[in-house]
């Protein structure tokens, strides 16, 4: 059972969910012993709860697959309830302190566009505290029970909290809109502050980026994972085509007017995201039937202009990406955080970079990283 065949079938399942139809019957030609591969791809695509809410007993599906999907969906729902209980007090405490926190990507889309936020499977919440005083924001995070968790970068830092139910929840605090200084500089041409919207299902105090901005960020996220991989437990496949992102794109664009589409094209050109956006929209159109205005993709692609975001994300050289980020530094604090993160990253970064060697001591991982860099420069296999 080839992976492409599984993904084609799962894309048909996602379209059925969006159309409020029964899930397709399990292909009779697929051997039952390979059902584990299908269950693994459902987990990768993040669509277990989407599937099971639409059809709890799909025709002909192996019992093993149904059980795996139900288990994954149940955990997804439990995680969301626990995550909301952790995030709501934090968002409200930040607002009470006068710190505007705008949710972006998964949490913003889950609570803004999905009928059930739990359907939008994710591992954390991204909060943009653009322009906030960092010391004051960190004090609020600490007061709410969160602690620093991992490498602090020049534009974002992870914090986490462990709830009484045993779930550990992470919030990625963004001081700028992307983890890369160079990409942030390009994306901030979006002037996203003018399209901040309420997110009342998360909290009466919650805010989020608007649909156009989250659509562009979803496409950037997808393009980034194609280049650097998507971390799933102990694996990191270089695969940016998760179906839940295609579902997100369809939901985000469902209410677009002609004016919205025109503004989307203008902002993509201004921010240098034409290739990133067009690739993402084409993926969602092919897999979940995202409806595009006639000629939209062709017009977007033919618009020309610089492509700094795609160029950065597609650049295989760590050195060249570092140079781009150094050119985008705006203050000494960013410079210090950037150099520390790139030159001597901590345990979490290295574990994600080398998931097959998480048992290694940190110094050994750094030696492996340096050796790989030397071999690449010599044109030798790593």
């Amino acid at each position: 059972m080839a992976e492409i065949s599984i993904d084609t079938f799962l894309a048909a399942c996602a379209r059925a969910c969006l159309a409020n139809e029964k899930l397709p019957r399990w292909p009779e030609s697929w051997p039952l012993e390979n059902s584990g591969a299908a269950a693994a791809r459902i987990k990768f695509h993040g669509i277990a709860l989407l599937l099971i809410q639409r059809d709890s007993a799909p025709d002909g599906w192996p019992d093993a697959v149904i059980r795996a999907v139900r288990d994954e969906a149940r955990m997804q729902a439990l995680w969301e309830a626990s995550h909301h209980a952790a995030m709501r007090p934090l968002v409200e405490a930040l607002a009470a302190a006068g710190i505007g926190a705008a949710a972006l990507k998964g949490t913003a889309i889950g609570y803004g566009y999905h009928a059930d936020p739990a359907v939008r499977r994710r591992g954390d919440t991204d909060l943009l505290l653009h322009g906030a005083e960092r010391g004051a924001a960190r004090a609020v995070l600490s007061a709410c029970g969160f602690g620093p968790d991992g490498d602090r970068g020049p534009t974002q830092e992870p914090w986490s909290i462990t709830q009484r139910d045993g779930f550990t929840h992470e919030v990625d605090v963004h001081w700028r809109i992307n983890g890369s200084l160079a990409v942030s500089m390009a994306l901030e041409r979006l002037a996203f502050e003018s399209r901040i919207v309420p997110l009342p299902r998360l909290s009466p105090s919650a805010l989020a980026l608007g649909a156009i901005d989250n659509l562009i960020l979803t496409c950037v996220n997808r393009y980034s994972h194609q280049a650097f991989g998507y971390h799933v437990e102990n694996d990191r496949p270089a695969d940016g085509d998760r179906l839940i992102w295609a579902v997100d794109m369809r939901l985000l664009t469902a209410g677009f007017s002609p004016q919205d589409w025109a503004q989307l094209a203008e902002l993509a050109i201004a921010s240098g995201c034409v290739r990133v956006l067009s690739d993402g929209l084409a993926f969602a159109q092919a897999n979940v039937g995202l409806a595009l205005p006639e000629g939209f993709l062709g017009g977007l692609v033919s618009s020309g202009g610089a492509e700094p975001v795609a160029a950065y994300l597609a650049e295989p050289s760590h050195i060249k990406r570092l140079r781009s980020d150094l050119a985008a530094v705006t203050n000494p604090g960013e410079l210090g955080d950037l150099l520390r993160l790139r030159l001597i990253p901590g345990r979490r970064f290295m574990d994600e970079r080398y998931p097959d060697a998480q048992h290694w001591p940190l110094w050994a991982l750094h030696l492996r990283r340096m050796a790989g860099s030397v071999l690449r420069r010599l044109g030798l296999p790593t």
Side-chain angles (χ1 to χ4, degrees):
M1 182 162 51
E3 201 169 83
I4 185 64
S5 298
I6 296 172
D7 286 352
T8 300
F9 176 71
L10 293 179
C13 292
R15 291 193 298 274
C17 292
L18 291 167
N20 203 30
E21 298 172 350
K22 281 183 65 64
L23 297 182
R25 184 175 178 80
W26 192 262
E28 294 181 1
S29 61
W30 283 1
L32 294 182
E33 60 267 23
N34 286 331
S35 59
R41 291 305 287 177
I42 289 170
K43 183 173 184 176
F44 168 79
H45 286 297
I47 59 173
L49 190 55
L50 177 72
L51 299 180
I52 217 70
Q53 283 188 348
R54 174 81 294 276
D55 194 345
S56 61
D59 291 344
W61 285 44
D63 289 343
V65 176
I66 294 176
R67 283 196 302 271
V69 173
R70 285 176 177 170
D71 288 346
E72 177 73 10
R74 187 180 301 111
M75 188 59 66
Q76 205 170 319
L78 290 171
W79 182 92
E80 186 61 56
S82 178
H83 193 69
H84 181 259
M87 289 302 114
R88 177 169 174 155
L90 174 61
V91 168
E92 292 175 353
L94 288 167
I99 300 170
L104 51 128
K105 298 188 292 186
T107 293
I109 298 168
Y111 282 88
Y113 298 89
H114 285 268
D116 178 358
V119 167
R120 181 46 171 89
R121 189 179 187 275
R122 59 201 186 284
D124 56 25
T125 282
D126 294 276
L127 288 179
L128 179 60
L129 279 60
H130 193 63
E133 202 284 313
R134 298 190 184 193
R138 289 168 181 151
V140 172
L141 283 154
S142 296
C144 289
F146 287 78
D149 185 13
D151 296 316
R152 187 181 76 195
T155 68
Q156 67 187 73
E157 54 192 68
W159 289 67
S160 68
I161 185 173
T162 299
Q163 298 283 76
R164 291 181 179 178
D165 55 20
F167 284 108
T168 296
H169 299 288
E170 183 176 303
V171 54
D172 270 345
V173 176
H174 291 249
W175 310 113
R176 297 182 68 179
I177 199 167
N178 187 267
S180 157
L181 287 164
V183 175
S184 288
M185 184 172 66
L187 291 178
E188 283 161 7
R189 297 174 194 152
L190 295 170
F192 53 83
E193 300 93 337
S194 63
R195 291 178 296 277
I196 298 290
V197 297
L199 197 63
R201 288 201 294 162
L202 177 59
S203 162
S205 304
L207 302 170
L209 266 62
I212 287 176
D213 305 287
N214 271 312
L215 175 61
I216 291 175
L217 289 181
T218 298
C219 292
V220 170
N221 197 37
R222 172 183 173 272
Y223 206 92
S224 175
H225 284 302
Q226 285 183 315
F228 305 122
Y230 179 78
H231 192 234
V232 184
E233 295 180 350
N234 292 324
D235 195 14
R236 195 179 182 91
D239 190 341
D241 285 344
R242 297 181 74 226
L243 287 169
I244 195 63
W245 294 335
V247 172
D248 287 348
M249 290 183 228
R250 179 163 157 175
L251 295 177
L252 285 164
T253 58
F256 273 18
S257 66
Q259 291 75 25
D260 291 327
W261 286 108
Q263 185 179 32
L264 174 64
E266 292 172 5
L267 290 171
I269 294 167
S271 60
C273 287
V274 167
R275 188 186 312 165
V276 170
L277 177 66
S278 60
D279 279 7
L281 292 177
F283 163 67
Q285 183 184 47
N287 284 275
V288 299
L290 183 149
L292 293 168
E294 186 175 355
F296 181 82
L297 284 182
L300 193 61
V301 172
S302 65
S303 62
E307 290 279 6
V309 176
Y312 178 94
L313 295 176
E315 175 53 63
S317 169
H318 298 289
I319 299 299
K320 289 182 179 178
R321 289 201 304 274
L322 176 59
R323 287 174 182 164
S324 296
D325 284 327
L326 286 170
V329 165
T330 61
N331 60 66
E334 286 183 346
L335 177 60
D337 285 339
L338 174 62
L339 292 176
R340 177 188 48 76
L341 182 64
R342 290 299 184 93
L343 297 177
I344 47 171
R347 182 86 228 182
R348 180 170 176 173
F349 176 93
M350 298 301 283
D351 283 348
E352 291 189 357
R353 177 79 177 274
Y354 304 109
D356 62 319
Q358 292 182 1
H359 59 288
W360 290 19
L362 186 57
W363 62 265
L365 291 175
H366 281 297
L367 283 178
R368 176 176 172 177
R369 182 169 179 253
M370 288 186 286
S373 179
V374 171
L375 290 172
R376 280 191 295 271
R377 298 188 89 177
L378 294 174
L380 299 173
T382 60

